[in-house]
Structure formats: structure tokens, C-alpha cells
Amino acid sequence: MSELRVKRDPEGTRRRILEAATEQFTKFGLAGARVDAIATAAGTNERMLYYYFTSKEGLYVAVLEAMYGKFAERESSVDLTGLPPAEAIRQLAQSIWTYLRENPQWLSLINNENLHEGRYLERSSTMRETISPVVDLLRTILQRGTATGEFREGIDPLDFYVTLVGMGYYIVSNRYTLEAFTGRNYADHVRQKTISTMHVDMLLSYLRPADNRA
Amino acid sequence: MSELRVKRDPEGTRRRILEAATEQFTKFGLAGARVDAIATAAGTNERMLYYYFTSKEGLYVAVLEAMYGKFAERESSVDLTGLPPAEAIRQLAQSIWTYLRENPQWLSLINNENLHEGRYLERSSTMRETISPVVDLLRTILQRGTATGEFREGIDPLDFYVTLVGMGYYIVSNRYTLEAFTGRNYADHVRQKTISTMHVDMLLSYLRPADNRA
Amino acid sequence: MSELRVKRDPEGTRRRILEAATEQFTKFGLAGARVDAIATAAGTNERMLYYYFTSKEGLYVAVLEAMYGKFAERESSVDLTGLPPAEAIRQLAQSIWTYLRENPQWLSLINNENLHEGRYLERSSTMRETISPVVDLLRTILQRGTATGEFREGIDPLDFYVTLVGMGYYIVSNRYTLEAFTGRNYADHVRQKTISTMHVDMLLSYLRPADNRA
Amino acid sequence: MSELRVKRDPEGTRRRILEAATEQFTKFGLAGARVDAIATAAGTNERMLYYYFTSKEGLYVAVLEAMYGKFAERESSVDLTGLPPAEAIRQLAQSIWTYLRENPQWLSLINNENLHEGRYLERSSTMRETISPVVDLLRTILQRGTATGEFREGIDPLDFYVTLVGMGYYIVSNRYTLEAFTGRNYADHVRQKTISTMHVDMLLSYLRPADNRA
DNA sequence: TATGAATGAGCATTCATTCAT
DNA sequence: GATGAATGAATGCTCATTCAT
């Protein structure tokens, strides 16, 4: 018999709570989110939230972990084999920046975590492995570029990765204050394209060997 | 009659409330900060907070404005006249990055504002003028560099400024999550020096004209 | 098929719930005890508690009844035949006081019942018969003592019994507040022996006929 | 201007909360009492309860302390100078028992404290001094009696006091369960008179010297 | 018999804010 | 200007209990 409202649906209930919580936490932060708003949005009652996640903080950690999961999944799915080094860098950067642009709530969560000095992130243990595949990929690209003489030697892949991510992160995360300060709307498509071109140029001109310059 | 405790000190009370509020808002955000904690920390009672700032939000806006004021003051005090263009860029970057490093609470406030989609920032109207002197300064430096042939043409000063700030912003603001993800402590002095060297190199190699490269 | 965990054990489950409930109710009272704590301590789930005992109150009554059962069993097992009256009184008193000392949770339950004005006790009808054998025994002893001239006439056995029990009850039930008020630890063995000697003396000197005194 | 409802009355509000709390705690115990019921009964709101007493437990302790205060006041007001020793004992006992009879809520509180193993009583520091005046008084009476040869030697005043109090305490505190068990209503005036006569007789016959007996 | 899932009312407590002096 | 007293609406969380399997 088909029913509109499924009465018993543990997995569904859990999932709906997690989705609702993700939205509330990204919108209002840990302190600002309200458990009753989460329960209502999830179509259940507050009690179930505690049944599945023990506490508001427990739910917050679960949201963080679910987010990391999706992020890691996506990061490891990029395929850049066979591309010339510079082009690989370009595409890797675009891929990461696109992800950040499309998932601003993810950045809100990260910012919230930094407000809490990473307290809740520490509880989860698999963060480091999340990004290592991308950094490995980047390392390979840099090595290929150095081998062909296109890139200079001695580039630290992790610092380079952090810089690359930061470029995209900053303009997405700070889009509202940037508009107030600069008068420019960096959420705008054209604006984003312009500045990301600058960023790619910057990354690549930095990689170019000194001999090639003078 | 002489008393140990000065009862009436309007300016002092106002200032102490503002200082206490700054600390609480930067630590816990708008939602997380507690008015009674602010009052206690300021050595006064909650009522005075409403007397001077109307509401919690009003106090929050006042904190934002006070912060902008200090930031603007500092930004306009840099003197780079007489320096060769590349050196001027280097010193400007270092100056800004040092400020960010030394004022992480300022970044917390900005992040909080972005969480609120810049709602409270809009109320204050003088934001844009805050950064324009620095951007003007940067524009002059870029023009000087272009004139001497050191820098390429057609660089957008504002986008360049945003990129430069973002580089410093990201590693300070995200220091906690970066440590969880990368295993590196970017709050560390040596680490910060290393990556800021990379950033300056990146900015300058981007500015170098194409003719100079091939 | 043999399994390590026996799944079905109705009597065991019922018993374990009752034991866990006894502990929780004596520790925290009816209002303070938590059904989920009882279920957990009994190694089952809350639902079974309702299956066997209908409600929290039903379980509470069941605990009361089980306690009475044990108490009655014990009370009727004292054998004092053949002892001289005074010695019989002495041994009866010691027997009762020892029981009280060894079952302070029983006193907690009784106190709880008095807090509820005996509401739940009334439901059980066999209370009165519980103590009547002991009172009968006491009546016989008193009659024997009167016959030999050792005890005076006209002693009410029930009032005497109540007084005797009260002496032991008070110092066990109130051991914590007594320590706070008097500085003496009446839970201490030596202390208990001293005061119970006083109590026995008191009971016996009361029983002694007036003629014997002057 | 005369108003029915006094708007500002800090002392009154505090007092009314304390009175309402006393009633609720004595009726339902610490766990069973409800803060909103207390607030309503006090004609104020829950917030004020926390304003004046910090927490439910804080209020509970305040109730305990207020009760002790009244008890101590009363205890120290008995005047027995000039009475013959036996009469003094009789009147002291009656005075204490009357107090217990008239303040059964006080006994409920004490029982509750014993359920909590005296946890909250410990916080208050002046308990011991509360009863010492009465014990001193008792000691004097006993000494006077010994001097005249009416009382035997070597009576411990504190143990004697504890026994005396216990006699009255038990039949008041356990009046409901006693009725269920014995069928007698010890709250009844006649009943109480009968048994307290027994108790006084018991105390006095215990005090009488051995020489006087045989 | 047994158990995981679900519920709604109620819980102690805290919140930002306002009143009266 | 300054302060203690007062408020009502939340807030996160727990309660005893019932439903569905």
C-alpha cells in the first residue's frame, strides 16, 4: 500500500535530520542554529535528534563529517592524466574553485570551525587523508613540469595547494564583505572569471623557471 | 567626599563595554555572545549596554565600526614613497599580512559578517572609503612599475589587492582547520615566513612583463 | 541452534527489572528514579518494563510488595521460645535493629512512601498481617514477664513494638543528618552498639514493675 | 498611592519564593518539586527564582537553611530553670515532640536530605551549633538530677537527646506507613498522648538509679 | 517475548530586554 | 548616568510512554 507519509523509516529520518541540520548550521553557525527548527525542517520532533545524535554538538560533528565525506569523494575523482603540466594545473585549480563556488555552505562550516578553534574537527580523525590524494596528484604534476623544464624546481606542493585553495576560498567566503569594501560583486560570474584568470596566471608565472624569465 | 570607586564615568563605561563586546563577539559570534557576559566583563550592568547601544545588534554594529576605524587608520599610515616598485609591493604586502596576523579577531568578525551575508555591514556607509587609499597607493606603485618597464601593463589594482589580502587572510583565518587538514601549523612563525615568501614571489612574477620572460 | 545470548528469559527479565528498580527507587525516590536507567541497569529496554509492570508507578508498587515479602519472611523466622522474658526482649530488639541496619534501602522506601502519604501502600492489603506475628510474639513475651513478676502490667504490645522499632529506625534512617547535627557517625559499629545498649536498658527499665523500684 | 499589587518588592518576592519552595520541596522532595509550580505559587516568574537563588538546588539549600534557623530559634527559647529535674525532662521532651508534631514538613525535608545522603546539608556550616544549646540544657538537667540522687550517673546527654528526638520523630514521620502496618492512626491526638506518656515513662525509668530499683 | 523507533508534553535553565528608582 | 528588579519567550534537553515490527 502506498502512503504519502512513511511511518517507520529510521534511515530516512536520520538522513532528513542531517540535511536539515546542515542547512541550519551553515546558515546560523553552531550557536545560532536552533534544534527545534532543525527538527521541524526534518519533519520529525526534537526527541529523535537526540535519539540519533545524542546532542546538538553531536549532530554538528555528524554534519562536519558528512561534509568531509562528500568533499573527499569529489576531490579524488579528478582525472588529469595525459594533460600537459600547465594545463593540468589550470584544470585542477578550476575544478577546486568550482567546487568552492558551488558549495559556499561548506565554507561557512569551515569558518565556524575556525571560530571554535577547530575543537570539533579534532574529534573526527580522518581529515588529513582527505586532501592527501589531491596533494599527491599536484606533486606528480609539478614533477612532470620540472622534468620537461616548464616548471622551476623546489616547489613545496602542500604550500602551493594551500595558496591555490585560499585564492578561491577567500573570494567565495568573503563575497559579502568584499562587496561592501570594494563595491564589486565577486559572486558575479564574469567577475569570478576575470579574477580566476588572474589567479591561474599568477600560479603559472610563479612556476616558470627563473632562466626563462630574464 | 573622596571615594575610591568613581561612580560616574560615561566615556569610560562606554569604552569598556565596547572592548568587552569586541572580545565576546570575536570569540563567539553575534549569536554566541552573551550580553550579561559582556556587561560583567565591562564591570557594569546589562542596563548600561542598552543605554549606550540600544540593543545587542546595535552594540555589534558599533564593534564593527570601531574595528573598521582602527583598520583604516593603520592602512593609510604606510609610507612607501621613494621605494623601487617591486620593493614597494613587497613591503605593502608584508605590512597588510602582518596586520592580519596580529588581529585574528578582526578576521573572526569579518567571517561572522559573511555568515550574516553582510547584513550589519551595509548599515555602515563608510566602508568603501576605508580601503580606497591603499588601493590608490597600489595603483600608483603599479603605474610606476609599468613606467619603468618592470611591471606589465593592464593590471587591475583592485583585483590585485583582493588577491594579495586573500593570501594572508586565508592562512590566518583558517589556521585551525588547516592544521587538521594538512598537519601543518600555519600560525607558526617559520611556516608563515616560508609561505609569505612564496606569495610575494607569486605576486611579483605575475607582475613581470611577458617580454622579460621568454 | 545454540546461541551464546539467551534471547528469551521472561522470569529472568522480570526479576532483573525488579532488582534494578529497587535500587533506583531506594536511591532516588519515585520522582527521582528514571525508567531508562532502570531498563539499562536491568540489561533490557524500556518497553519491557511496561510490558511487565504497566507503568512506572506499577513498578514502584511491585518493588514495595517485594520488599514487604522479604521483610515479613524474616520477621516471622525469629525463635525466642524458652528464653527468659528480659533476654527475649533483648534478642527481639537486636534482631529487628540488625535487620534495619542491614537494609537501609528498605527505610528509604518507607520514607518515600510517607512522603507520598502512603498512597501506594494502601493498594496492597496484606501489610497489617505482616507485622502481626511479631506483635503476637511480643505479647506472649510480655505476658510471660508479667506472670513471673518481672514486668509490670498493662503494657500495650503494639505501642511498645512501635517504640522499639522507632529507636532503631531513627538512627539508621537519619544517619546522614545526625552526623551533620551531632558530629557523631551513628553508622559506626561502636556507636551503634553503645546507643542500642542504652535503648535496651531503656526498654527493660520501663518494663520493670513500680514495686521493684522504690 | 495604595495599590493592591506591589510592583517592586525585592524582600517580599524573595520571601514568597522561599515560602512557596518550602511547601513544594516538603511535599514532593527535591526531584519531585517543579520550579514553575514554585514560581506560580510565589506569584512571580521562574526567572526571579534564578535571580535570587541561582538554581533549583540553591533554592533547596536556602529552604533547608531557613528551616534550620526557625528550628534553632525555637529550641533555644525553652526555659526550664527552677523545675525539678524529672519535670524538666518531661517538659523538654514534650516541647520537642510538640514541635515535631506541628512541623511535619520539617521532617519531610530532613528525610529528603537523608535520601541525598546529606549532600546539601554539608554545604551549610552552622548545623552543629543549632542543637548544642539544647544538649547543654539537657546536660545541666542531668547533672542536677545526678546531684540530688534522682538520676543515675554516666548518662551520655547526646545519645539521650538523639533517643528522645527519635521517639517523637518516628511516629510523626512514619504516620502514614504506621497506619498501614498497625491499623493505628498515630496522628490522632489521643493516640499521640498515650504513646508519648509511654515514652516519657521510658526515659525517666531509664534515668532512675539502680539502687532505687531493687 | 522482545526491541528499535517515535512522540509530545514537560523539564530546569537562559535569553535579550524593560521597568522603576 | 547608573542600578537592582522584573519579565516572557525561548533554549537545549529529558521525561514516561506508545507504536510498529
Side-chain angles (χ1 to χ4, degrees):
Chain A
M1 201 191 92
S2 77
E3 255 209 303
L4 276 172
R5 248 289 215 162
V6 180
K7 285 280 170 82
R8 279 265 163 135
D9 179 16
E11 284 170 41
T13 303
R14 219 194 111 96
R15 184 181 40 74
R16 290 199 317 274
I17 291 174
L18 207 55
E19 285 168 3
T22 303
E23 210 207 321
Q24 298 286 314
F25 283 134
T26 52
K27 259 192 194 155
F28 307 113
L30 174 56
R34 301 297 165 215
V35 289
D36 98 304
I38 294 171
T40 304
T44 181
N45 62 71
E46 296 178 49
R47 188 61 191 80
M48 293 318 286
L49 196 153
Y50 291 92
Y51 185 74
Y52 284 113
F53 301 98
T54 309
S55 68
K56 193 192 187 185
E57 294 198 350
L59 180 54
Y60 178 74
V61 171
V63 166
L64 281 178
E65 280 173 347
M67 275 293 211
Y68 296 143
K70 281 189 205 157
F71 179 64
E73 223 174 278
R74 151 82 194 228
E75 288 275 275
S76 55
S77 70
V78 200
D79 182 23
L80 303 168
T81 48
L83 289 178
E87 185 55 25
I89 292 286
R90 192 186 310 272
Q91 288 198 18
L92 179 66
Q94 290 299 355
S95 156
I96 289 170
W97 295 341
T98 302
Y99 182 84
L100 298 176
R101 224 176 297 138
E102 290 171 352
N103 296 278
Q105 351 84 284
W106 164 243
L107 305 202
S108 287
L109 264 189
I110 297 281
N111 283 349
N112 208 263
E113 257 310 277
N114 281 297
L115 184 67
H116 297 127
E117 307 187 347
R119 244 191 308 273
Y120 303 99
L121 207 73
E122 285 165 14
R123 300 188 188 174
S124 248
S125 49
T126 48
M127 316 291 76
R128 207 160 307 177
E129 290 104 67
T130 302
I131 65 149
S132 63
V134 213
V135 178
D136 288 342
L137 178 61
L138 180 59
R139 183 177 294 110
T140 310
I141 300 173
L142 291 175
Q143 283 168 345
R144 281 204 285 132
T146 311
T148 63
E150 271 180 273
F151 295 166
R152 67 153 114 162
E153 283 181 20
I155 308 286
D156 183 275
L158 197 41
D159 276 4
F160 190 84
Y161 174 74
V162 166
T163 302
L164 185 160
V165 171
M167 284 169 160
Y169 193 104
Y170 181 69
I171 59 168
V172 174
S173 169
N174 290 43
R175 61 199 182 282
Y176 298 107
T177 51
L178 277 176
E179 176 147 25
F181 275 112
T182 68
R184 284 185 181 173
N185 175 19
Y186 282 96
D188 177 72
H189 217 254
V190 178
R191 190 107 264 157
Q192 249 168 358
K193 199 154 191 189
T194 312
I195 200 166
S196 69
T197 301
M198 174 187 271
H199 291 163
V200 168
D201 273 9
M202 214 173 256
L203 291 168
L204 291 178
S205 54
Y206 170 72
L207 290 176
R208 212 162 288 133
D211 333 346
N212 272 358
R213 295 178 192 165
Chain B
M1 207 192 91
S2 77
E3 258 209 300
L4 279 171
R5 205 27 161 121
V6 179
K7 284 279 168 83
R8 303 235 163 169
D9 178 16
E11 284 170 40
T13 302
R14 217 195 110 95
R15 185 182 39 76
R16 291 202 314 277
I17 291 175
L18 208 54
E19 284 167 3
T22 303
E23 211 207 321
Q24 297 286 314
F25 284 133
T26 51
K27 257 193 195 157
F28 307 114
L30 173 56
R34 302 296 164 217
V35 288
D36 101 301
I38 294 171
T40 305
T44 181
N45 63 70
E46 300 175 48
R47 191 59 194 84
M48 291 320 286
L49 197 151
Y50 290 90
Y51 183 78
Y52 284 113
F53 302 97
T54 310
S55 69
K56 190 191 188 185
E57 295 197 350
L59 179 54
Y60 177 74
V61 171
V63 166
L64 282 178
E65 280 173 347
M67 274 294 213
Y68 297 143
K70 282 189 205 159
F71 179 63
E73 222 174 280
R74 150 85 193 226
E75 288 276 273
S76 56
S77 71
V78 201
D79 182 21
L80 303 168
T81 47
L83 289 177
E87 186 53 25
I89 293 287
R90 193 185 310 271
Q91 287 198 20
L92 178 67
Q94 290 299 353
S95 159
I96 289 171
W97 295 342
T98 301
Y99 182 82
L100 298 177
R101 224 177 295 140
E102 290 172 353
N103 296 278
Q105 350 82 286
W106 164 242
L107 305 201
S108 288
L109 265 189
I110 297 281
N111 283 348
N112 209 262
E113 257 309 278
N114 281 296
L115 185 68
H116 297 127
E117 308 187 345
R119 243 190 309 270
Y120 303 99
L121 206 72
E122 287 163 14
R123 301 190 185 173
S124 247
S125 51
T126 48
M127 312 289 84
R128 208 160 306 175
E129 291 102 70
T130 301
I131 64 150
S132 61
V134 213
V135 178
D136 288 343
L137 177 62
L138 181 59
R139 182 176 294 110
T140 310
I141 300 172
L142 291 175
Q143 283 167 348
R144 279 205 286 132
T146 310
T148 64
E150 273 180 89
F151 295 167
R152 66 153 114 160
E153 283 179 22
I155 309 286
D156 183 276
L158 198 40
D159 276 3
F160 191 82
Y161 174 76
V162 166
T163 302
L164 186 159
V165 171
M167 284 169 161
Y169 192 104
Y170 181 69
I171 61 169
V172 173
S173 169
N174 290 43
R175 60 199 182 284
Y176 297 108
T177 51
L178 277 176
E179 176 146 26
F181 276 112
T182 69
R184 286 186 180 171
N185 175 18
Y186 283 96
D188 176 72
H189 216 253
V190 178
R191 189 107 265 157
Q192 248 167 358
K193 200 159 190 183
T194 312
I195 201 165
S196 68
T197 302
M198 175 188 269
H199 291 164
V200 167
D201 275 8
M202 215 173 256
L203 292 167
L204 291 178
S205 54
Y206 170 73
L207 290 177
R208 211 162 289 131
D211 334 345
N212 270 358
R213 293 178 193 165
Chain C
M1 207 192 93
S2 77
E3 260 209 299
L4 278 172
R5 241 292 216 164
V6 179
K7 287 277 169 87
R8 305 232 163 171
D9 177 16
E11 285 171 40
T13 302
R14 215 194 112 95
R15 185 181 40 76
R16 290 200 317 276
I17 291 175
L18 207 54
E19 285 168 2
T22 302
E23 211 208 320
Q24 297 287 314
F25 283 133
T26 52
K27 258 193 194 155
F28 307 112
L30 173 55
R34 301 296 164 216
V35 289
D36 101 301
I38 294 171
T40 304
T44 181
N45 62 70
E46 300 177 49
R47 190 60 192 81
M48 293 318 287
L49 198 152
Y50 289 91
Y51 183 79
Y52 284 113
F53 302 97
T54 311
S55 70
K56 191 192 188 184
E57 294 198 350
L59 179 54
Y60 177 74
V61 171
V63 166
L64 281 179
E65 281 172 347
M67 273 293 211
Y68 297 142
K70 281 188 205 158
F71 179 64
E73 221 174 282
R74 151 83 193 225
E75 287 276 273
S76 55
S77 70
V78 200
D79 182 22
L80 304 169
T81 47
L83 290 177
E87 184 55 27
I89 292 287
R90 192 186 310 271
Q91 288 198 19
L92 179 67
Q94 291 299 354
S95 158
I96 290 170
W97 295 341
T98 301
Y99 181 83
L100 298 177
R101 225 177 294 139
E102 289 172 353
N103 295 279
Q105 351 83 286
W106 164 243
L107 305 201
S108 288
L109 265 189
I110 297 283
N111 283 349
N112 209 263
E113 257 311 278
N114 281 297
L115 184 68
H116 298 128
E117 308 187 344
R119 242 190 309 271
Y120 303 99
L121 206 73
E122 288 164 13
R123 300 190 186 173
S124 247
S125 52
T126 48
M127 313 290 79
R128 208 161 307 175
E129 291 102 68
T130 302
I131 64 149
S132 61
V134 212
V135 178
D136 288 343
L137 177 61
L138 180 59
R139 183 176 294 110
T140 310
I141 299 171
L142 291 175
Q143 283 169 345
R144 281 204 287 134
T146 310
T148 64
E150 271 180 272
F151 295 166
R152 68 153 113 163
E153 283 180 20
I155 309 286
D156 183 276
L158 198 41
D159 275 5
F160 191 84
Y161 173 76
V162 166
T163 302
L164 185 160
V165 171
M167 284 170 160
Y169 192 104
Y170 181 68
I171 61 169
V172 173
S173 169
N174 290 45
R175 61 198 182 284
Y176 297 107
T177 51
L178 277 176
E179 177 146 26
F181 276 113
T182 68
R184 285 187 179 170
N185 175 18
Y186 283 96
D188 176 72
H189 217 252
V190 178
R191 190 107 266 157
Q192 250 168 356
K193 199 155 190 187
T194 312
I195 201 166
S196 68
T197 302
M198 175 188 269
H199 291 163
V200 167
D201 275 7
M202 215 173 257
L203 292 167
L204 291 178
S205 55
Y206 170 72
L207 291 177
R208 212 162 289 133
D211 332 345
N212 272 358
R213 295 176 191 164
Chain D
M1 198 193 93
S2 78
E3 255 209 303
L4 277 173
R5 249 284 218 170
V6 180
K7 284 282 169 80
R8 281 264 163 135
D9 180 15
E11 284 170 41
T13 302
R14 218 194 111 96
R15 185 182 40 75
R16 290 199 317 275
I17 292 174
L18 207 55
E19 286 168 1
T22 302
E23 210 207 321
Q24 298 286 314
F25 283 135
T26 52
K27 259 193 196 157
F28 308 113
L30 174 55
R34 302 297 163 216
V35 289
D36 98 303
I38 294 171
T40 304
T44 181
N45 63 71
E46 298 177 48
R47 189 61 192 80
M48 291 319 283
L49 197 152
Y50 291 90
Y51 184 74
Y52 284 113
F53 302 97
T54 310
S55 68
K56 191 192 187 184
E57 293 197 350
L59 179 54
Y60 178 73
V61 171
V63 166
L64 282 178
E65 280 173 346
M67 275 294 212
Y68 297 142
K70 282 189 206 158
F71 180 63
E73 221 174 281
R74 151 83 194 229
E75 289 274 274
S76 56
S77 69
V78 200
D79 182 23
L80 303 168
T81 48
L83 289 178
E87 186 54 27
I89 292 287
R90 192 186 311 272
Q91 287 198 20
L92 178 66
Q94 290 300 352
S95 159
I96 290 170
W97 296 341
T98 301
Y99 183 84
L100 298 177
R101 223 177 297 139
E102 289 172 352
N103 296 278
Q105 350 83 287
W106 165 242
L107 306 201
S108 287
L109 265 190
I110 296 281
N111 284 348
N112 209 263
E113 256 310 277
N114 281 297
L115 184 68
H116 298 128
E117 308 187 345
R119 244 190 307 274
Y120 303 99
L121 207 72
E122 287 164 13
R123 300 188 187 173
S124 246
S125 49
T126 49
M127 315 288 83
R128 209 161 304 178
E129 290 102 69
T130 302
I131 65 149
S132 63
V134 212
V135 177
D136 288 344
L137 178 61
L138 180 59
R139 182 176 295 111
T140 311
I141 299 172
L142 291 175
Q143 283 167 345
R144 280 203 287 133
T146 310
T148 64
E150 272 179 90
F151 295 166
R152 67 153 114 164
E153 283 179 21
I155 309 286
D156 183 276
L158 198 41
D159 276 4
F160 190 83
Y161 174 75
V162 166
T163 302
L164 185 160
V165 171
M167 284 169 161
Y169 193 104
Y170 180 69
I171 61 169
V172 174
S173 169
N174 291 43
R175 59 198 184 284
Y176 298 107
T177 51
L178 278 176
E179 176 146 25
F181 274 112
T182 69
R184 285 186 180 171
N185 175 18
Y186 283 95
D188 177 73
H189 216 253
V190 178
R191 190 107 267 159
Q192 249 167 357
K193 200 157 189 187
T194 312
I195 201 166
S196 68
T197 303
M198 175 187 270
H199 290 163
V200 168
D201 275 7
M202 213 174 258
L203 292 167
L204 290 178
S205 54
Y206 170 73
L207 291 177
R208 212 162 288 132
D211 333 345
N212 270 357
R213 294 178 191 166

